[in-house]
Amino acid sequence: MSAKKGLHLTLKIWRQKNSKTKGQFETYKISDVSTDSSFLEMLDILNENLINEGKEPIAFDHDCREGICGMCSLYINGRAHGPDTGITTCQLHMRMFKDGETIVIEPWRSAAFPVIKDLMVDRSAFDRVMAAGGFISVNTSGNTLDANAMPVPKEDADKAMDAAACIGCGACVATCKNGSAMLFVGAKVSQYALLPQGRVEAKRRVLNMVKAMDEEGFGNCSNTGACEVECPKGISLENIARMNREYMAALVDQG
């Protein structure tokens, strides 16, 4: 039995030293790539080849490689996380590509996500939005209630869990033509707004998080729904609507 033939690919990859320098696409050839390998494994092979040739490897972000952390974010052939759906880049496999294909690989494109190097971007803007209100203050004086003792309607609990599935990868921002972070912020607001533990600080939370989102330079919602389509965790647009309702209610209450 003959060995399975690997893919021969042309890679057009964005190279940029840092956020202050001008970047450009550089072309690389790679051969005999197994269709069973992941996209990041393919990049590992390319980097090994570059190192062996005495060239600088391509910087790209990754951590768990299990679709949990969201750090592997790449724009591949014009789509966040590549041509498959409901997955992160690390879960993308080379069987999704054809022999002889040209693959264009870019970092996230957003003013709020400046390039660190090559395919790596700084997503600390998300951290600052979270720090503005994406938490619950708990009284630990000894009178803390057991969360399991608080009855929550199953429908609300399910929606809160769905919102909490957001991994903060930034695909919503990269996909939105306005660079909006409203799906991300909507998910973080919703996961608390739907639970009794989150209602105490609900108004302060949404006001602070929306303010932080605007200050970071994210755009407004484009109403096209591309963010939900490309989200690897399928976060619903309903969370944006819920965030808007929470925000308007907080503004009215604020006077």
Side-chain angles (χ1 to χ4, degrees), residues 94-116:
M94 297 310 296
R95 55 179 169 267
M96 296 298 296
F97 301 93
K98 298 178 181 179
D99 187 38
E101 187 171 349
T102 296
I103 304 175
V104 181
I105 310 169
E106 305 170 73
W108 282 170
R109 301 292 191 181
S110 171
F113 291 160
V115 172
I116 297 173

Side-chain angles (χ1 to χ4, degrees), residues 136 144 179:
I136 292 175
T144 306

Side-chain angles (χ1 to χ4, degrees), residues 127-138 188-189 191-193 197-202 204-206 208-209:
D127 297 330
R128 291 186 289 274
V129 172
M130 287 291 289
F135 56 87
I136 292 175
S137 299
V138 178
K188 299 307 176 184
V189 167
Q191 70 185 51
Y192 297 125
Q197 297 93 331
R199 294 311 306 167
V200 178
E201 299 172 293
R204 183 174 64 182
R205 175 182 302 111
V206 70
N208 288 346
M209 293 186 75

Side-chain angles (χ1 to χ4, degrees), residues 25-38:
F25 282 105
E26 294 187 6
T27 303
Y28 304 90
K29 300 284 187 180
I30 188 168
S31 301
D32 202 24
V33 176
S34 171
T35 54
D36 294 327
S37 63
S38 72

Side-chain angles (χ1 to χ4, degrees), residues 60-173:
F60 64 95
D61 222 343
H62 61 92
D63 190 4
C64 73
R65 298 202 179 199
E66 295 178 348
I68 298 171
C69 70
M71 292 182 68
C72 59
S73 310
L74 295 176
Y75 217 69
I76 304 166
N77 283 351
R79 288 189 63 182
H81 293 300
D84 210 345
T85 56
I87 62 164
T88 52
T89 300
C90 64
Q91 297 173 298
L92 178 66
H93 283 79
M94 297 310 296
R95 55 179 169 267
M96 296 298 296
F97 301 93
K98 298 178 181 179
D99 187 38
E101 187 171 349
T102 296
I103 304 175
V104 181
I105 310 169
E106 305 170 73
W108 282 170
R109 301 292 191 181
S110 171
F113 291 160
V115 172
I116 297 173
K117 185 176 182 180
D118 296 339
L119 303 176
M120 295 176 64
V121 299
D122 181 358
R123 288 175 297 170
S124 60
F126 271 7
D127 297 330
R128 291 186 289 274
V129 172
M130 287 291 289
F135 56 87
I136 292 175
S137 299
V138 178
N139 183 349
T140 57
S141 63
N143 297 318
T144 306
L145 290 175
D146 185 345
N148 293 325
M150 298 180 185
V152 180
K154 185 179 187 305
E155 182 180 356
D156 291 346
D158 288 344
K159 289 180 179 179
M161 285 295 292
D162 289 344
C166 170
I167 57 177
C169 68
C172 50
V173 176

